[in-house]
Amino acid sequence: MTSALLVLCLTLGNAFDDEPNRPCSPPTGSGIISGRVTYSGPLPPKVLNPEAATRRSPVEVDPRTLGLREAAVWIDASAIDIDPRDDSDARDPIEVDQLNFEFLPHVLTVEADQPVVFLNSDVANHGVTASGSTVANRFNVTTPPGGRYVHRFQSARQPVHLGCPIHVAMSAWIFVFDHPYHTVTDDQGRFQLTGLPPGPYTLFVHHPDGGFRKRVEVEVRDGQTSEVDIAFEAEDLRPPSRRRP
């Protein structure tokens, strides 16, 4: 089940400030946006994780389909009429584990005020440092072996970057939205957004480690699936070291 199926959102109009937002009840719809994100260019060098004695590729592509893994996909839901509700205590938490000196998952999409549980399944001490444009999304905590920390993020325009203050090779990204229409591409680059009311939408794709960004216009019809294929090429690759100031 993708994160797009989580029925959690916030009051429209407070999407990108620092104030807590109330959860919302999205309207019922039967439209679907489905597709695949691909990348056909060269891969950047792998990143060494010395503590785990491993190397991780910042950009992972399925060799058969060229599907791009771990790209965040969402729509601009500002035109959708969403009714406020208050059932934050009933929402399912999402876990982010620290295992083998990595954050798992590496890219995550959540809704604002949804509990995110940070765990440490390693035998080493870890920490979680969150850096974001929104004050409520910044923190620095210690997570010893078997430790646990719960945080509720607020919606923001930019993803929250996670790091470990003890092990600098560890990193992850959390995208926080005020609506439930978001997800992350799977190992073959596939994605699906469900429960959409009919109408025109702007679809966004962002792969933070590769610097890939794109937006496309999509028309959704009730009870139908709109297929969207999004292709990135070599000139779209802009990892942090290659980004312009």
Side-chain angles (χ1 to χ4, degrees), residues 72 94-96 103 105-111 116-118 128 130-132 137 139 151 153-154 156 158-162 172-177 208:
I94 294 182
E95 292 184 352
V96 176
F103 285 102
H106 182 69
V107 176
L108 179 67
T109 64
V110 302
E111 291 194 51
V116 179
V117 183
F118 293 92
V128 181
S131 305
N137 294 344
F139 60 85
H151 193 82
F153 292 90
Q154 296 301 309
Q158 299 298 324
V160 178
H161 181 258
L162 302 179
W173 302 89
I174 295 183
F175 292 74
V176 191
F177 301 97

Side-chain angles (χ1 to χ4, degrees), residues 39-245:
Y39 173 61
S40 58
L43 298 179
K46 292 185 177 182
V47 177
L48 174 66
N49 187 331
E51 287 82 6
T54 59
R55 291 180 180 270
R56 183 185 187 280
S57 176
V59 177
E60 295 184 303
V61 174
D62 178 69
R64 183 178 63 84
T65 65
L66 299 182
L68 178 63
R69 182 186 180 195
E70 295 179 334
V73 182
W74 70 95
I75 64 164
D76 176 4
S78 58
I80 300 178
D81 184 16
I82 301 177
D83 296 327
R85 63 187 173 93
D86 189 8
D87 63 350
S88 57
D89 292 338
R91 287 175 290 167
D92 293 332
I94 294 182
E95 292 184 352
V96 176
D97 203 355
Q98 292 169 294
L99 181 63
N100 296 327
F101 297 89
E102 291 186 7
F103 285 102
L104 300 175
H106 182 69
V107 176
L108 179 67
T109 64
V110 302
E111 291 194 51
D113 211 33
Q114 180 176 9
V116 179
V117 183
F118 293 92
L119 306 172
N120 179 1
S121 296
D122 273 338
V123 295
N125 284 318
H126 286 307
V128 181
T129 299
S131 305
S133 58
T134 301
V135 174
N137 294 344
R138 304 172 191 164
F139 60 85
N140 187 357
V141 298
T142 300
T143 50
R148 169 189 172 97
Y149 173 72
V150 181
H151 193 82
R152 295 174 183 263
F153 292 90
Q154 296 301 309
S155 56
R157 293 184 182 275
Q158 299 298 324
V160 178
H161 181 258
L162 302 179
C164 174
I166 304 173
H167 308 101
V168 296
M170 297 176 61
S171 69
W173 302 89
I174 295 183
F175 292 74
V176 191
F177 301 97
D178 62 352
H179 60 81
Y181 307 111
H182 51 81
T183 189
V184 178
T185 56
D186 66 13
D187 291 349
Q188 285 77 46
R190 297 172 300 191
F191 69 90
Q192 187 174 89
L193 303 176
T194 63
L196 288 162
Y201 294 98
T202 301
L203 182 76
F204 295 87
V205 178
H206 183 189
H207 186 283
D209 285 336
F212 300 111
R213 292 176 182 264
K214 188 166 288 189
R215 54 186 294 174
V216 297
E217 304 303 316
V218 184
E219 183 71 28
V220 172
R221 293 177 172 81
D222 205 23
Q224 299 184 23
T225 299
S226 300
E227 296 288 345
V228 180
D229 290 326
I230 299 170
F232 291 104
E233 299 178 353
E235 57 266 28
D236 299 311
L237 177 65
R238 294 184 61 196
S241 61
R242 289 180 50 187
R243 293 178 192 168
R244 303 183 186 93

